[in-house]
Amino acid sequence: MGTTAMAACLLPTGQAGAVTVGEAAPSCVQYSTSWRYTFVTNTCDATQHVTVEYRDGTVVPCRTAGPGDTVTFPGYGTGDNGVQGVVLCAAP
């Protein structure tokens, strides 16, 4: 019988509790996307650990964004791999 691994993510610094990986980022985390880049800006008062969800399931690394920071992810590309949204993730 094999073991099952679970992944979890802590809430942003200064908040108690835990969230599931893939929970939508709070509304104070905003993004804009183009064919080449997706820019995610943290306008929250706390650090956020975020990643971008793509329509085709492409996985990109988690990035840490402090208050006021903007982090960059790949865009939707020439194949129009749409960005579904920004989600919380485990800190890198």
Side-chain angles (χ1 to χ4, degrees), residues 33-40 51-61 63 72-77 80-87:
T33 190
S34 70
W35 75 272
R36 190 164 186 178
Y37 299 110
T38 298
F39 298 103
V40 177
T51 191
V52 175
E53 283 189 327
Y54 295 90
R55 185 175 33 191
D56 74 350
T58 297
V59 176
V60 293
R63 299 207 196 300
T72 305
F73 295 92
Y76 50 77
D80 197 24
N81 183 23
V83 173
Q84 301 290 89
V86 177
V87 295

Side-chain angles (χ1 to χ4, degrees), residues 3-81:
T3 60
T4 303
M6 290 184 67
C9 174
L10 297 178
L11 282 171
T13 305
Q15 296 183 19
V19 296
T20 308
V21 171
E23 180 178 323
S27 61
C28 54
V29 174
Q30 301 163 350
Y31 74 95
S32 63
T33 190
S34 70
W35 75 272
R36 190 164 186 178
Y37 299 110
T38 298
F39 298 103
V40 177
T41 302
N42 177 12
T43 64
C44 305
D45 292 333
T47 297
Q48 303 291 321
H49 304 289
V50 295
T51 191
V52 175
E53 283 189 327
Y54 295 90
R55 185 175 33 191
D56 74 350
T58 297
V59 176
V60 293
C62 184
R63 299 207 196 300
T64 300
D69 287 351
T70 297
V71 291
T72 305
F73 295 92
Y76 50 77
T78 57
D80 197 24
N81 183 23

